[in-house]
Every structure is written in structure tokens, then in C-alpha cells.
Amino acid sequence: MMEKIKPLRKSEYAPQDEGERGTPHCPHPPLGGPDAGCKLCRIEVDRLSVAFGAQTLLKDVSLHIHCGELTALIGANGAGKTTLLRALLGQVEYTGTIRHLTSDGRPAADLRTGYVPQQLEFDRSSPVTVMDFMAGSLSRMPVFLGVQKRTREKVMSALARTHCEQLASRALGKLSGGELQRVLLALALTPQPDLLILDEPVSGVDQNGLETFYQTVDELKHRNHMAILLVSHDLSVVERYADRVVLMQGTVIKQGAPEVVFDSPEFEQVFYTKGGRA
């Protein structure tokens, strides 16, 4: 059985189960400046369904994603987690409703979404440095013409947010798995997103890299009050860092604080069989 890890925190205001509804008040004060946080208070997903032809991939999914919280999607392979992400990103057609709301219940305009993939496919023998990679993504100027001072400062500021500015001159292909994912996280945070999606972001990363990545994410969540949605198969990480867990099996079968979901019969049904893990 999986070793239980005491959660770092509990959700302050999200409903404890899928049958409970409500419009909670946002406890996070708005932040000032060009990257002001908490513009998006919550995302409400109501009876969302996705079908391809005769195949139903998701049916009647309802959940809330709040600012200042890390919400984790868990479930077996084929449970619909990736399909839900694609619906939230507008990449697949769906029925139902997705609402992006401010703290006073009005529609949130100009929503920014940051995305960190499971891995980046690229030629690891390429001499492209982290600075070149970041500058090429954040500027319209070709990097072979040189990186302008303003862009360089922007890149260094972005890397500093994930504590990896020392990697700027390193070749992208020479980074460890954890280092590369923190660079991708820095890119996803520039400009500051209202919603940060982490799609199995540390698959194959060693334990030190994994802990550094999630500690950085936790720090950013508290500092910037952003809503974070994580897909992960690492249940110990989910139990430690998530404020809220959503268990999926073609729909939402259980949601709430980590201890509520992990101690539920639905969790046992999905992840364990008699005598051990399924």
C-alpha cells in the first residue's frame, strides 16, 4: 500500500464532494502591477461531456478550480484526464459549460493559461542554450541576430522565478530532467498566467528534481494566488501538495480534500484490489 503523507494544507473554501455546490468568496486579495494575480477567482465546469463519434470520453463532469489552490486530477489510464485538459484549453468540442469567473462572479476577461507538458521533444545534440530557447519564445527577434538586453533581462527574470537563472548559458540538451522542467515552468509563467496546467510535469525526473519542482510550484501558488491544475500518477506527491483532488473515471466519481478522496471507497476501487495495488 502507498505510504500516507500528511497533507501540507486543506482547502479553505472548496466544496468537499461533487454533490455539494456553492459560490465561495475568494479569500485572496488582488495583487497590483502588470502581472496582477487573482483576476481569475475560479473556473466552474458544469456537466461537461466529450464524445468522438459513438464513443463517450467524458460524461457530466462538474468541478470547480480555484485560485490559490492546486487541484490534482487523478485516475487510471483512459479515465479522461487528458480529454478534460484539452476541453479546458479549447482543443476539443464539448457540451456543458466552462465558466471563468472573477471574485465577484463576473466573467473573467483575457484569461491567460500557462502549460507545462510531460516532456519537450527536441534534438538534444543541438547547441541551443536556455537563453536562446527562452529568448526565441519571448521575443519576435531571431536569436541568431543576438539577444537584446531587454529580452535578456526578461529571460533572467523569468528564470529567477523558478530558481534556475544559473542555467541560462547551459545547452538545453545538457540539462537534467528536473532542470529542463523548471525552465519550461519559467516559460509557462511568462507572462503570468491565471491558470497554470501541469500535465505530468516530472515524469522520469529524479527525486531531488521532483521535490525542487513542486516546492517551486507551491511557492508560486502562495505568492501569486494562481489556480493550478495538475495531472499526475504520483499519488504521494498529490497527497502532499494538492489542496483538492478530483478522482476521474470517465466522469468525476469523488472530489474533495486529499484525505477525503484517498480514504474513500471510490479510491480503493480505482487503485487497489484485494491484497494490493490494482
Side-chain angles (χ1 to χ4, degrees):
M1 294 286 285
M2 179 185 62
E3 180 183 357
K4 292 287 183 180
I5 301 175
K6 185 177 180 181
L8 297 182
R9 69 201 71 78
K10 290 184 179 180
S11 169
E12 297 180 47
Y13 50 88
Q16 291 300 302
D17 207 328
E18 64 271 21
E20 300 180 34
R21 301 284 180 169
T23 306
H25 173 69
C26 176
H28 303 297
L31 303 178
D35 288 337
C38 218
K39 177 178 67 177
L40 172 73
C41 176
R42 64 189 179 277
I43 299 174
E44 296 182 355
V45 179
D46 187 29
R47 297 188 180 279
L48 183 144
S49 298
V50 176
F52 288 151
Q55 183 181 15
T56 299
L57 302 182
L58 289 176
K59 184 176 181 181
D60 291 338
V61 171
S62 295
L63 57 91
H64 288 185
I65 303 166
H66 291 274
C67 71
E69 287 192 346
L70 190 155
T71 299
L73 301 180
I74 65 173
N77 290 333
K81 303 182 295 295
T82 298
T83 301
L84 178 57
L85 291 189
R86 294 184 66 192
L88 291 170
L89 292 168
Q91 296 177 347
V92 295
E93 293 184 1
Y94 59 86
T95 59
T97 306
I98 299 176
R99 291 183 290 268
H100 306 107
L101 302 175
T102 62
S103 58
D104 57 5
R106 293 184 299 176
D110 302 321
L111 180 69
R112 293 175 177 172
T113 301
Y115 179 77
V116 180
Q118 181 175 347
Q119 58 185 0
L120 179 68
E121 298 292 341
F122 67 101
D123 181 2
R124 287 191 168 270
S125 66
S126 170
V128 172
T129 65
V130 170
M131 175 61 71
D132 294 336
F133 171 71
M134 293 284 289
S137 301
L138 300 178
S139 173
R140 295 181 180 180
M141 291 288 292
V143 293
F144 64 78
L145 296 177
V147 179
Q148 296 181 331
K149 180 180 178 182
R150 182 177 179 181
T151 301
R152 185 175 295 275
E153 291 173 349
K154 189 175 183 179
V155 169
M156 295 304 294
S157 177
L159 294 174
R161 296 188 69 186
T162 59
H163 309 295
C164 58
E165 60 268 42
Q166 73 280 3
L167 302 176
S169 61
R170 294 265 301 277
L172 203 64
K174 299 298 183 182
L175 301 182
S176 69
E179 290 170 338
L180 178 58
Q181 291 307 100
R182 279 194 290 146
V183 168
L184 294 179
L185 177 60
L187 184 59
L189 293 170
T190 310
Q192 166 99 9
D194 304 292
L195 170 66
L196 176 63
I197 294 178
L198 307 173
D199 188 3
E200 298 189 54
V202 289
S203 178
V205 174
D206 63 38
Q207 188 64 31
N208 287 337
L210 182 150
E211 289 296 333
T212 300
F213 182 89
Y214 281 115
Q215 287 169 7
T216 301
V217 168
D218 198 61
E219 176 186 328
L220 290 165
K221 182 194 71 175
H222 286 290
R223 182 193 304 160
N224 301 107
H225 309 158
M226 68 180 69
I228 302 174
L229 184 61
L230 167 70
V231 173
S232 178
H233 285 97
D234 191 330
L235 299 178
S236 62
V237 165
V238 169
E239 192 171 18
R240 183 177 182 189
Y241 286 101
D243 300 283
R244 185 168 178 77
V245 178
V246 178
L247 176 60
M248 298 187 63
Q249 189 169 296
T251 189
V252 176
I253 60 173
K254 189 71 177 179
Q255 60 180 304
E259 64 271 22
V260 170
V261 175
F262 280 62
D263 291 337
S264 69
E266 292 87 351
F267 180 86
E268 293 288 329
Q269 176 187 349
V270 171
F271 287 104
Y272 295 96
T273 58
K274 190 174 182 179
R277 174 174 279 192

